[in-house]
Every structure is written in structure tokens, then in C-alpha cells.
Amino acid sequence: DVVAAFRYYWNNYNQGRPFILAGHSQGAKAVIELLKHEITPEIYQHLVASYAIGYTITQEELDSYPYLRMAKDSTDVGVIIGFNSVTKPEAISPLFKNNIVCINPLNWKTDASPGVSYQGFTASIDPSIHTIVVTGIDEDKYYISKTEMKEKLVALLGGRAAEKLVL
């Protein structure tokens, strides 16, 4: 249980030191829930940042929970660093339609200013969907089709188990 683990860490290991919270997807939801329900003013004093990548935070949540604060630039402390990314705006998941938190990790901006990676791709926030759109990336290199996924799972788990996992 994430709450029990965080409480144990805070009570037994933190010893008043700065800390971060980090999670992706389901782990990001756990980070958000900790910020909403477990962080106290004393704990918040030590929070450097919360990385909640690949999940949704709504305006209603930002308005309702004082420790849900969006990062605005690279020098902010005690904030949420969050984003979702796609290679095409139409690829955004319906799960992210109400997301409001997005900062570009390449340039620490919350506007549409492009950030360029040393790897050659560009990432810009689409303000209409609060999502980073990545261009200049070879999708074939990073995308795994259902067929490829099934082949990999069959090799790893065997036929029946893999078929149950791949829709």
C-alpha cells in the first residue's frame, strides 16, 4: 500500500531531509493521491517536487487541494511536474481530456515554446489539449504494434497466457 509505505518512510527514514515523489501512469495517480490526502504542512516544507507523469490532474483538483501546485518553471519548489506526450494530437487518450497540468521537460515552459532534445526531436505543448506533441521522432523505432507485442509475449509467456493479455 502506497500510503503505508510513505508513512513508514516519513516516520523512519526521512529525518527532516528534502524529498521528491515520482510516479508514472498508475504511479502518478498514487503520487497525486498522496499529495491530496497525506501531505501535511510539516511534510510539505521538505517536498522538493512531485513528478506525476502520464496521468490527469484537473482544474477542480488544483482548486481543491493546496499541495497540488503546477510547476511554472525550473526553479519552482513543492510543485507537480507533470505531462502527457503524443506524436500526434489525435493520439491523446480520452483519459487525459480534462488534464490541465503540463510542463515541457526540455525547456521548463508551460506555453507552446518548443524544446529541442539533444536526440534531435522537438517537444511543444499543444495548449488546447495540455499535452506535449513530439515531432522528429521515428515512430517505427518506438512504437510496438499489437502483433509485435503478442509475438514478444508468446515468446516470453507461452501462447495461451499471451493471448489473454493482448486484446
Side-chain angles (χ1 to χ4, degrees):
D1 172 73
V2 173
V3 171
F6 179 77
R7 288 177 181 167
Y8 187 83
Y9 158 77
W10 183 257
N11 292 324
N12 296 286
Y13 291 102
N14 178 271
Q15 300 174 347
R17 294 182 299 228
F19 71 99
I20 67 164
L21 296 172
H24 175 262
S25 191
Q26 185 177 352
K29 177 165 178 47
V31 166
I32 293 162
E33 293 303 313
L34 282 173
L35 290 168
K36 287 162 69 172
H37 304 293
E38 292 298 316
I39 302 301
T40 64
E42 175 195 356
I43 294 171
Y44 185 72
Q45 291 177 55
H46 302 282
L47 178 64
V48 176
S50 299
Y51 291 81
I53 312 299
Y55 205 74
T56 294
I57 300 173
T58 66
Q59 185 64 54
E60 181 181 344
E61 288 174 304
L62 290 177
D63 294 342
S64 299
Y65 297 97
Y67 302 122
L68 291 181
R69 294 182 39 238
M70 278 178 41
K72 305 261 189 238
D73 66 39
S74 63
T75 61
D76 287 344
V77 177
V79 294
I80 298 169
I81 298 159
F83 61 88
N84 298 300
S85 62
V86 293
T87 54
K88 299 177 194 88
E90 59 272 15
I92 188 73
S93 168
L95 296 172
F96 302 137
K97 70 178 181 172
N98 295 320
N99 183 57
I100 198 78
V101 173
C102 190
I103 190 163
N104 189 331
L106 296 179
N107 62 10
W108 295 98
K109 304 280 185 189
T110 58
D111 60 18
S113 303
V116 180
S117 166
Y118 70 92
Q119 295 172 315
F121 61 85
T122 301
S124 301
I125 295 174
D126 181 329
S128 67
I129 56 174
H130 303 285
T131 298
I132 295 173
V133 178
V134 180
T135 57
I137 196 166
D138 181 359
E139 289 185 51
D140 292 333
K141 188 175 176 181
Y142 295 98
Y143 175 76
I144 300 174
S145 70
K146 283 186 180 181
T147 303
E148 289 174 290
M149 180 62 73
K150 186 173 181 178
E151 289 170 0
K152 290 178 187 296
L153 288 171
V154 165
L156 183 66
L157 303 173
R160 290 229 172 232
E163 287 177 19
K164 290 179 182 178
L165 291 174
V166 180
L167 302 175

